[in-house]
Amino acid sequence: RDVLGSRGLGDVYKRQMLSRLSDKQAKRIYAHYFLGLSKTEIAQTEGVGKAAVCESIDRGLQELRKIIREFF
């Protein structure tokens, strides 16, 4: 399930939640979900492996789930 699309959250709330993540996680999630970049494109842009990007995004989404539970 798309955590960022859940419960009809507005962009302001999504950005506030992203601000609670590490810079790297927030930037990668923003690039993937807001800008529509693939995980491969993000990895190539950053000069890292796709696995690192996937792991970072997955950990960030887990943290966002916790944050959403706090708000709701």
Side-chain angles (χ1 to χ4, degrees), residues 5-66:
S6 66
R7 303 184 190 200
L9 296 173
D11 283 347
V12 172
Y13 290 114
K14 292 175 188 176
R15 287 191 179 102
Q16 285 177 343
M17 289 181 211
L18 285 176
S19 73
R20 296 181 61 184
L21 301 176
S22 73
D23 286 342
K24 188 178 293 187
Q25 287 174 334
K27 287 177 184 177
R28 288 174 174 172
I29 289 172
Y30 185 84
H32 185 61
Y33 287 98
F34 286 74
L35 301 179
L37 296 177
S38 71
K39 293 173 183 174
T40 300
E41 291 171 317
I42 296 166
Q44 289 173 344
T45 300
E46 294 182 1
V48 299
K50 181 181 173 186
V53 172
C54 291
E55 184 178 319
S56 176
I57 288 174
D58 288 345
R59 281 186 277 125
L61 292 176
Q62 288 174 4
E63 186 62 28
L64 284 175
R65 286 183 189 96
K66 292 176 189 175

